[in-house]
Amino acid sequence: MHTGFSPGRRLTLAAVMIAVAGLLSAPLIADEGMWLFNAPPRKALQQQYQFTPTPEWLDHLQRSSVRFVTDGGSGSFVSADGLILTNQHIGFGEAQALSGEGHDYARNGFYARTRSDEKPCPGMEVNVLVSTEDVTERVNAALPAELSPERASAARRQVIAAIEKESLAQTGLRSNVVPLYQGGAYQLYRYNRYTDVRLVFIPEAQAASFGGDTDNFEYPRYALDICFFRAYENGEPARLEHYLAVDPRGTNENDLVFVSGHPAITQREFTWAQVVDYRDHLLPHWLDLLCRVEVPLSVYSGRGAEPARQARDLLLDIQNSRKLVGGQLAGLLDPSLLHGLQSREQAFQAMLGNEARFTDAHAAYKRIREAQDRISQNQVTYDLIEGSSWRPPYAFKGRLFQIARTLVRAAAEQSKPDGERLPEYQDAHRASLELDLFSDAPIYDEFESMLLTDSLTYLAGSLGAGEPLVASVLGGKSPAERAAELVHGSRLRDMAERRRLYDAGGAALASSPDPLVALAQLVDPAARQARKVNDDQEEVLRQAHAALAQARFALRGLELYPDATSTLRLAYGTVSGYEEQGRPVPAFTDLQGLYDRAAQHRDQPPFDLAPRWAERRGHLDLKTPFDFVCTADITGGNSGSPVVSRAGELVGLIFDGNLQSLVTDYAYTERQARAVAVDVRAVLEALPQVYDAGPLAEELLGHTGTASR
Amino acid sequence: MHTGFSPGRRLTLAAVMIAVAGLLSAPLIADEGMWLFNAPPRKALQQQYQFTPTPEWLDHLQRSSVRFVTDGGSGSFVSADGLILTNQHIGFGEAQALSGEGHDYARNGFYARTRSDEKPCPGMEVNVLVSTEDVTERVNAALPAELSPERASAARRQVIAAIEKESLAQTGLRSNVVPLYQGGAYQLYRYNRYTDVRLVFIPEAQAASFGGDTDNFEYPRYALDICFFRAYENGEPARLEHYLAVDPRGTNENDLVFVSGHPAITQREFTWAQVVDYRDHLLPHWLDLLCRVEVPLSVYSGRGAEPARQARDLLLDIQNSRKLVGGQLAGLLDPSLLHGLQSREQAFQAMLGNEARFTDAHAAYKRIREAQDRISQNQVTYDLIEGSSWRPPYAFKGRLFQIARTLVRAAAEQSKPDGERLPEYQDAHRASLELDLFSDAPIYDEFESMLLTDSLTYLAGSLGAGEPLVASVLGGKSPAERAAELVHGSRLRDMAERRRLYDAGGAALASSPDPLVALAQLVDPAARQARKVNDDQEEVLRQAHAALAQARFALRGLELYPDATSTLRLAYGTVSGYEEQGRPVPAFTDLQGLYDRAAQHRDQPPFDLAPRWAERRGHLDLKTPFDFVCTADITGGNSGSPVVSRAGELVGLIFDGNLQSLVTDYAYTERQARAVAVDVRAVLEALPQVYDAGPLAEELLGHTGTASR
């Protein structure tokens, strides 16, 4: 199995030639790939594992797999009654939102002993992929050659919106057009939506993230990173045809396993120039930024238990991102990996040769380099005042500004034809947008003020306090004064006011005395401009990568998987340990290991045992496997993904990758990179013995519930 | 008293005219000023407090005041037997260095019950100022007009070195020429040096920094931030003529108090353009940098008790700097303060008028702006590869690199005439340099590796991994690999090797196989270049500020105090609370408050009571005053400064300023800015009741010891 991936140092021309030959004969590394369910790696599975997934096997796994729209992440249906298994760190935000003084579910855990105790999660949505359809031709037909990037982008956005709207109208299903192969193909994905989702069980944070930020992205691990939700339809638990049976025997070293989930984003098709830009500019910039954000959050958390509770979700998110970015940067600063990427690119360019049909592909490299440079130069401003859908602009952190911006943009966008709108404001996304906007997740004034004070300070430091936009934003006040005025003067925490402004639209907003609405309006033109610069260059990248993708197809056929795009993928691999600094790291940990590690650290945070785990030690079979690693090719977004056996039965769930796996966003390696999962046997042991949640274990085992397969 | 300082918003011309008038009639704000002992604020003290310090009063206080050379900071002699009182956070580094596995003095505290238990602190040095002498004429005579900045700087350095060397030879005293008034005057300071300094008492960190980073720079406070050392001469406790008597009655609200200490640096004479540069560029840059350094240190600390111990000193230092820089930035982002500075400058320029004798002063503003711009542009590189004597270069953190650089530079510098050397390598500083270089403070390989890995990652991210210097530094390896190779391959932790290389000098270094020595050599030319750019522009600033200082003298006489320069100063003020967000903050806290605050935070870190304090609660008079605030004008470097009464007796010691005081580096304000001190009554209560250190309290009260005044 472990052929490893150890790209050469400085390559001689001969080595490049060998690599060229190799590219055609041994196209993929061992267990590499995040495969489309409609184009699974049949050949590799057959050759390496003598396994061929049947269409039924694939369909069942696909329809049992769940995507968390609001919080990102993956999960699976695990009972006929709509029970969903995912990670505690996916459910954490919901548990946080359900908490208040006196009942801190995120910290202390929660278990609904009866269905009526299950807690509705306002604003939460999960999706299940029910069908896919290729729409590449229709998208490309809408894009005549020689359009400017801006017009091409608008035209593509328009045709995609039309396809999505049409599909929604026809099927009532959530419909998303997904660009694949860096824009080489487009597929229409249709999802069943579940918007009544309730919290069933979440363990205390100490048990789920034992070892905290210290052990995050590390292995061995001792974390029960699980959480159960239940999907409801019409006020009743959803009745499901497809859900995963649980194999109480779990899995063993060297077993073949599959991971079905929603990897968010990979950059495997990046050119060398792009990877160098990430190494030298973007990742260092993000690492600086994340540290700059993490410190004030830690300081705020240090004020006491209640501030810590308010900040915890964001702090964990930032720490996780910081370790992720740091790990990727460390990976890219390994010259051997960079040389490997460079040689692969040189080899591919050699394969292109001088053939006329590859002229576009050759030219693409220069276009990509130039566009990447422009994106990079724009990035500081972009991160500062525009941000992305999943990351608020760093100059205006906090939930209140996000609400203000959504109101301002919704009014502007909804007056346009659907196809000309920013994607997140198109009709197909309206339901999700409104769920988020009208979520009654609590808003903490002091926390909002701190975030905004720090944001505005960062803005002033980045552009200068005297820069005209900054001066307008600050309005002659210090960041602290201005933040207090914005937070205390805003009525946006009032749901009725939010609804009124949303329904009334543009004119009401323009005349609104709400200082946050006014701020969002003030910043919007510059923010849109930063986004436009970015989007235009992304369009150039898309077109150039499409040219490269076409050349790859011409040379390689369809035996490739596309880069991750937050859509459902199938990965596979072997349950297997690895070596680190000369020492073997075993594939499995067990419950005994948890107690050992806590003792080693004298039970000090973040290695303190949760009180229940300390009390119930005598109830547990300490030989029970706890966490395990496998070589399956995963990334962020795979959190909560079911790990299934050849029989398609649940043996665990992914909750992390190790540090060495972080660089696989750019290039897969399986020498040390591993996906980290909770073993289903730990789940079945802990639920009854630690949490008195025997009925939940019974439901997992199919012994209870209203339906069976 | 509290006339306040509330500079106008946008100033009208009329307001400027009023300000001009005001400048001449009411030159200083209330308790402003860090005064020279040889030019004390007699008039202000007489007018405001009907107090006139006698020469004997001043001389006694001066000779009882102690300067910590190695760790920075202040203190005082408090017994005839050489007992020194300072802050725990000044002694912390020494306690850390004396610790090892099994005895963690920095964390758990230390008390020497007998003199023979007192712990020598290798590398430690304290100084006492014994005389000052004006040498302005001699320095200026060595600088003919029209020298280039570089040659002027070299000439000044040369004459200063000559004066210092001559004085050292004549008197045997440590001799430093101190530039004052931004280069408007030069004085020769002579110090008694004590190099055999022993640790007598340090409390556990929990008690000294109760509230940790959360309460740092805040008030109210409950911190016993004290530490006792003893100066030895010839193996015996130093016998002193001058030391401070302790007043066990302490001080009261509205009392006049004095602070004698070594404020490090203020920028009160900065032009408006310089302040704006700090606000828009330098402070934000440093805040980013400090956060970027703080996070990996926190992560390393999270690995366990021993890593936390190794990192604690540096982490506390970084957190302290981060809060300081953040507080200064917050202060400068208050537009009213900036407008106040601007109006002061406009008023001064109006005073200069068109008089021919002030042509240079007028021109100085432009020269300052240009030089400041150049310094600012150079700062990233400077911080990265050169650093300063008190802050290592961020690209090469850790003690080992510091040793390597000192060896490399010492060899190069010591081959030059004394006056042409970098100041820290001149003969007058040789003893301190060697003490530091040959200190046997422990070096932790894993900590060094982590610091270097992170440093090299930061270097690559700042300049790009492919930049020629960076590529040479990394030598084809990843930062982690390269750091491991540097740390594990170096023999510099071996004291004999350090001595051998220091004694052998240039040729031995050039041929040394030590990878860290080679690295220091590789980087040195670029680092020196960054320093030269900085120093040349600092010289321009010095000359331009000297022109402004001369104009100020011409208009205002000598009724001014110079900016702080880490030399002995006298401040004065009133013990007084203040108002914050409409709520009164009282001047004193008491021991009861400590227990209340711990209970409020459920005894969770950093608000957990030290075990001794929990146990001994019943032994204490909880009404005993603990900490207090006063309006005296202090800054960093004043830590440990004695607070004395009109009678010149010790009533407390400074350990902090509140957040609102941080901006006073640029402009004094006493509306909310306060110096924070430990009350001597808390010291006298805690020593016997909590620490069983009654004899130490007795020595403070003059009841024991071998001498009396």
Side-chain angles (χ1 to χ4, degrees), chain A residues 19 69 71 90 119 127 137 144 215 220 235 297 367 389 451 471 483 534 544 574 576 614 628 637 659 667:
Chain A
V69 178
D71 304 288
I90 299 296
K119 297 274 178 196
N127 290 174
E137 279 187 31
D215 272 6
L297 283 171
R367 282 190 290 148
S389 54
L451 287 175
N534 185 77
T574 302
S576 158
F628 68 89
L659 268 181

Side-chain angles (χ1 to χ4, degrees), chain A residues 148-343:
Chain A
S148 73
E150 184 182 354
R151 291 187 52 212
S153 183
R156 179 179 300 104
R157 197 185 291 171
Q158 206 161 359
V159 64
I160 285 175
I163 295 170
E164 291 179 347
K165 194 172 179 177
E166 192 180 294
S167 167
L168 175 65
Q170 277 169 12
T171 63
L173 296 171
R174 181 191 183 108
S175 300
N176 292 149
V177 170
V178 177
L180 297 170
Y181 301 103
Q182 305 277 357
Y186 293 86
Q187 295 190 358
L188 172 62
Y189 278 42
R190 293 196 183 94
Y191 297 95
N192 252 335
R193 300 172 62 209
Y194 295 91
T195 54
D196 181 356
V197 184
R198 305 188 187 175
L199 181 64
V200 176
F201 173 87
I202 189 163
E204 63 281 67
Q206 259 164 301
S209 55
F210 179 79
D213 179 53
T214 306
D215 272 6
N216 188 18
F217 296 122
E218 310 276 347
Y219 199 75
R221 287 284 274 287
Y222 310 90
L224 191 78
D225 194 351
I226 64 166
C227 176
F228 290 95
F229 288 98
R230 194 183 302 280
Y232 278 70
E233 286 182 307
N234 307 316
E236 294 293 325
R239 296 295 194 80
L240 302 175
E241 195 184 335
H242 292 284
Y243 63 91
L244 296 177
V246 169
D247 185 344
R249 295 165 306 166
T251 183
N252 292 302
E253 184 125 27
N254 297 323
D255 277 359
L256 167 65
V257 289
F258 298 88
V259 174
S260 169
H262 301 82
I265 191 162
T266 55
Q267 315 284 20
R268 300 261 169 98
E269 300 308 336
F270 262 16
T271 65
W272 187 77
Q274 288 183 286
V275 173
V276 167
D277 185 54
Y278 271 66
R279 181 195 68 181
D280 287 350
H281 302 122
L282 293 177
L283 291 172
H285 159 63
W286 287 324
L287 186 56
D288 288 357
L289 193 53
L290 288 164
C291 290
R292 176 68 185 72
V293 174
E294 179 172 342
V295 167
L297 283 171
S298 297
V299 169
Y300 184 81
S301 299
R303 288 195 203 164
E306 175 57 20
R309 196 180 70 77
Q310 294 169 7
R312 200 178 315 136
D313 205 7
L314 185 54
L315 178 57
L316 287 175
D317 179 44
I318 293 289
Q319 287 180 326
N320 186 65
S321 299
R322 178 257 302 152
K323 212 160 179 180
L324 180 74
V325 166
Q328 292 190 349
L329 182 56
L332 293 188
L333 282 168
D334 177 355
S336 65
L337 191 132
L338 262 281
H339 288 139
L341 285 175
Q342 195 172 22
S343 72

Side-chain angles (χ1 to χ4, degrees), chain B residues 485-535:
Chain B
E485 172 185 86
L486 288 165
V487 171
H488 299 301
S490 174
R491 292 181 53 206
L492 296 180
R493 65 180 74 61
D494 173 7
M495 191 70 77
E497 176 66 5
R498 245 184 265 174
R499 279 203 187 277
R500 189 186 71 78
L501 288 170
Y502 183 69
D503 294 340
L509 283 160
S511 65
S512 165
D514 197 289
L516 270 167
V517 170
L519 178 65
Q521 283 171 322
L522 171 70
V523 176
D524 211 43
R528 283 173 181 268
Q529 175 57 25
R531 178 160 173 171
K532 186 175 157 5
V533 170
N534 185 76
D535 291 356

Side-chain angles (χ1 to χ4, degrees), chain B residues 263-278:
Chain B
I265 190 161
T266 54
Q267 314 286 19
R268 300 260 169 98
E269 301 308 336
F270 263 15
T271 64
W272 186 77
Q274 288 183 286
V275 174
V276 167
D277 186 53
Y278 271 66

Side-chain angles (χ1 to χ4, degrees), chain A residues 214 280 288 292 302-303 335 465 601, chain B residues 214 280 288 292 302-303 465 601:
Chain A
T214 306
D280 287 350
D288 288 357
R292 176 68 185 72
R303 288 195 203 164
H601 286 269
Chain B
T214 305
D280 287 350
D288 288 357
R292 177 67 185 73
R303 288 194 203 163
H601 287 268

